[in-house]
Amino acid sequence: MPHAPSSQPDHDHDHDHDHDHAAVGHAHAHAPRNFDRAFAVGIALNLAFVCAEAFYGWQANSLALLADAGHNLGDVAGLVLAWAGAFAGRLRPDARHTYGFKRASILAALANALLLLVAMGSLAWEALHRLGAPQTTQSLTVMAVAAAGIVVNGATALMFMRGHDDDLNLRGAFLHMAGDALVSAGVVVAGALTLGLGWAWLDPATGLAIAAIIVWSTWSLLRQSLHLLFDGVPAHIDLHAVRACLEARPGVARVHDLHVWAMGTSEVALTAHLVMPGGAPGDDFLRETAAQLRSRFRIGHATLQVVRAPIAPGCESLEP
């Protein structure tokens, strides 16, 4: 039975494949090295802003600022995660870690989600208490610090704009920081309304709203990280469409033992048996199949085994 194991790019090896094997080929999306500086500057700026926001939030007695500080602290962790993911993607596999360390990004996402849920739960509890007994806040301080947040978050988002179309990690960093600039704008508006109308309840209400938004978005992160941790099919992939794509290839009668899972937060792997009664079609067929999987489904690491007939019962739950 000829196999088609996935191979490293050409510059990673010098030997030729045996005639009974064919390279499927795979591509990985990494953050370009010149984004390391953007990550470093973005993390430093946002960490400094978190410290300032937490200090002035406590001084101004503003739950809105404290909630946003907690949110921005999560963003710092998110930037660290994205940077670590880009770095881990550049680490070469070895004899004991044949897939490298890509799954560390999934574990970090899970830890980040759990920490944010605990922090926002504590702030929401305090906000509910303050809604019953509103306290005076220093609205001008709140507005000034939140306005600084618009500048910091907006500038950080701009640093990742150039790569957000091509790299999932960079896209996540860009969208997260752009969203934070909008949250800071909301805090400015709340501070202005409190100053102009004297609505003391608006600050804890704003803090509660921010906490709710963060919990909502974090819950999705928690669910997705758990799903990927247990080798779930990534959300952007339709498994039936992948099967149909493979079965539409010339000479393929059926697809067995189809598995798709995430190697990390930005790289997807696939294994499958292609039942081809006519036998192995050659390297070009497999390379073209891999290219289709990469372009249509962003599956960059495919391993295909060609067989004349099913060799095992397979995973019945995956069979159509």
Side-chain angles (χ1 to χ4, degrees), residues 141-254:
T141 300
V142 172
M143 293 170 61
V145 175
I150 297 175
V151 175
V152 171
N153 291 320
T156 305
L158 288 175
M159 287 191 292
F160 296 104
M161 180 178 289
R162 181 162 57 88
H164 84 286
D165 287 333
D166 303 316
D167 186 279
L168 293 179
N169 272 333
L170 296 178
R171 184 183 305 170
F174 169 78
L175 293 176
H176 209 156
M177 301 314 300
D180 292 343
L182 294 178
V183 171
S184 295
V187 175
V188 172
V189 172
L193 290 175
T194 301
L195 182 64
L197 301 176
W199 293 348
W201 56 268
L202 191 57
D203 181 81
T206 302
L208 190 61
I210 292 174
I213 292 171
I214 296 168
V215 168
W216 179 78
S217 61
T218 302
W219 185 257
S220 175
L221 175 64
L222 176 67
R223 179 178 54 81
Q224 291 179 27
S225 58
L226 281 173
H227 178 71
L228 295 182
L229 191 62
F230 287 95
D231 290 331
V233 178
H236 73 277
I237 291 179
D238 182 343
L239 193 64
H240 296 292
V242 173
R243 180 184 295 278
C245 174
L246 292 173
E247 291 184 342
R249 298 291 294 149
V252 177
R254 192 174 178 84

Side-chain angles (χ1 to χ4, degrees), residues 1-68:
M1 290 177 299
H3 298 269
S6 59
S7 67
Q8 296 294 334
D10 292 341
H11 61 269
D12 286 345
H13 63 84
D14 298 320
H15 64 277
D16 295 326
H17 292 281
D18 297 334
H19 292 298
D20 292 336
H21 293 73
V24 174
H26 56 273
H28 308 291
H30 306 306
R33 291 182 182 274
N34 59 359
F35 279 101
D36 286 350
R37 182 177 180 181
F39 276 118
V41 172
I43 290 170
L45 278 176
N46 281 272
L47 190 57
F49 178 67
V50 165
C51 295
E53 193 172 31
F55 174 77
Y56 285 108
W58 176 70
Q59 289 288 324
N61 199 27
S62 171
L63 271 184
L65 278 185
L66 290 174
D68 197 39

Side-chain angles (χ1 to χ4, degrees), residues 111-134:
N112 185 24
L114 292 173
L115 288 173
L116 273 175
L117 287 175
V118 171
M120 291 302 105
S122 300
L123 281 169
W125 182 258
E126 178 63 20
L128 288 173
H129 278 288
R130 289 202 185 185
L131 279 174

Side-chain angles (χ1 to χ4, degrees), residues 9 62 89 99 114 127 131 178-179 195 258 274 287 311-312:
S62 171
Y99 274 137
L114 292 173
L131 279 174
L195 182 64
L258 174 62
L274 304 183
R287 275 192 283 266
I311 60 175

Side-chain angles (χ1 to χ4, degrees), residues 7-15 26 28 30 33 84-103 263 267 301:
S7 67
Q8 296 294 334
D10 292 341
H11 61 269
D12 286 345
H13 63 84
D14 298 320
H15 64 277
H26 56 273
H28 308 291
H30 306 306
R33 291 182 182 274
F87 176 77
R90 297 198 293 262
L91 294 178
R92 294 173 61 88
D94 56 35
R96 292 187 58 82
H97 302 91
T98 57
Y99 274 137
F101 299 88
K102 299 176 180 66
R103 182 151 294 198
M263 298 169 65
E267 188 172 340
H301 189 124

